[in-house]
């Protein structure tokens, strides 16, 4: 079973959990925060999918990542005012909302939570590096397959229903039109394989 900071705190610091952590649900399509908002709580995803991104110079959304159950997000305030991202629910979501200062103290003072946090940061870092390598090393089909394979860890059978071709384009460095063409070819091959 995967470590959960909430379960750990419920057992070891129940008094703090009841005061510093709140469960909330949000409908699909809700922005939890957007620029220029600099101060956010820390969110842990219990269920559902969340898109993390920013805006291009012409105001279009650009997707950085898609997060699922067990992932966390929010402004940890380590970037000295350089935080410029949005978070948007792609599905109905259930979150645990940690008060910011409480969360930061946890990752410094609770070794088990610190270990979990470090693992989460390194996992996200690796995922970003893996995508960058695929962008450099793979053809269009390989790039898309690499990103889709990375999302399998989200543990949601239908995650692909919520990730748009534009999201895939943002994550692979391709155009939306190229993603559309490649996805059509991938689907054709899958249909042929089913017939065999």
């Amino acid at each position: 079973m995967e470590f959960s900071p909430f379960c750990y705190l419920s057992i070891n610091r129940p008094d703090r959990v009841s005061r510093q952590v709140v469960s909330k649900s949000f409908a699909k399509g809700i922005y939890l925060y957007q620029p220029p908002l600099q101060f956010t709580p820390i969110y842990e995803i219990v269920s559902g999918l969340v898109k993390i991104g920013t805006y291009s110079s012409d105001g279009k959304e650009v997707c950085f990542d898609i997060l699922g159950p067990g992932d966390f997000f929010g402004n940890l305030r380590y970037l000295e005012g350089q935080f410029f991202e949005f978070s948007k629910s792609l599905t109905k979501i259930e979150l645990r909302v940690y008060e910011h200062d409480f969360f930061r103290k946890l990752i410094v003072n609770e070794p088990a939570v610190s270990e979990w946090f470090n693992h989460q940061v390194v996992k996200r870092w690796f995922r970003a590096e893996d995508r960058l390598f695929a962008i450099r090393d793979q053809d269009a089909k390989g790039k898309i397959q690499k990103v889709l394979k990375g999302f399998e860890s989200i543990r949601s059978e239908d995650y692909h229903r919520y990730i748009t071709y534009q999201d895939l384009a943002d994550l692979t460095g391709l155009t939306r039109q190229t993603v559309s063409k490649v996805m059509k070819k991938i689907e054709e091959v899958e249909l042929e394989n089913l017939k065999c």
Side-chain angles (χ1 to χ4, degrees), residues 20-36:
Q20 313 286 167
V21 183
V22 177
S23 293
K24 290 189 177 183
S25 296
F26 297 91
K28 175 183 177 182
I30 301 297
Y31 287 92
L32 299 158
Y33 54 80
Q34 290 179 281

Side-chain angles (χ1 to χ4, degrees), residues 44-90:
E44 178 188 5
I45 302 172
V46 177
S47 64
L49 301 174
V50 174
K51 181 193 314 191
I52 304 295
T54 193
Y55 295 96
S56 66
S57 58
D58 60 355
K60 293 181 183 168
E61 286 188 3
V62 178
C63 178
F64 289 157
D65 208 350
I66 308 290
L67 305 178
D71 287 326
F72 74 94
F73 61 98
N75 186 2
L76 288 166
R77 301 182 205 153
Y78 288 121
L79 299 177
E80 299 176 14
Q82 298 177 44
F83 185 79
F84 193 81
E85 73 177 29
F86 69 80
S87 62
K88 179 181 181 181
S89 58
L90 292 180

Side-chain angles (χ1 to χ4, degrees), residues 7-132:
C7 290
Y8 172 84
L9 292 168
S10 296
I11 293 167
N12 296 291
R13 303 279 190 272
D15 58 317
R16 302 295 306 273
V17 169
S18 62
R19 291 187 320 231
Q20 313 286 167
V21 183
V22 177
S23 293
K24 290 189 177 183
S25 296
F26 297 91
K28 175 183 177 182
I30 301 297
Y31 287 92
L32 299 158
Y33 54 80
Q34 290 179 281
L37 185 64
Q38 290 288 312
F39 302 104
T40 72
I42 305 302
Y43 300 93
E44 178 188 5
I45 302 172
V46 177
S47 64
L49 301 174
V50 174
K51 181 193 314 191
I52 304 295
T54 193
Y55 295 96
S56 66
S57 58
D58 60 355
K60 293 181 183 168
E61 286 188 3
V62 178
C63 178
F64 289 157
D65 208 350
I66 308 290
L67 305 178
D71 287 326
F72 74 94
F73 61 98
N75 186 2
L76 288 166
R77 301 182 205 153
Y78 288 121
L79 299 177
E80 299 176 14
Q82 298 177 44
F83 185 79
F84 193 81
E85 73 177 29
F86 69 80
S87 62
K88 179 181 181 181
S89 58
L90 292 180
T91 62
K92 180 181 176 195
I93 56 173
E94 184 181 336
L95 303 174
R96 291 190 186 107
V97 183
Y98 294 79
E99 190 275 327
H100 176 270
D101 291 335
F102 172 67
F103 188 84
R104 280 192 58 166
K105 286 177 186 171
L106 281 176
I107 60 177
V108 171
N109 297 317
E110 295 287 340
V113 176
S114 180
E115 181 65 23
W116 167 82
F117 176 76
N118 289 333
H119 176 79
Q120 294 296 313
V121 170
V122 170
K123 182 174 76 171
R124 293 260 293 274
W125 185 3
F126 172 77
R127 192 164 61 208
E129 286 179 338
D130 202 36
R131 282 188 197 139
L132 285 172

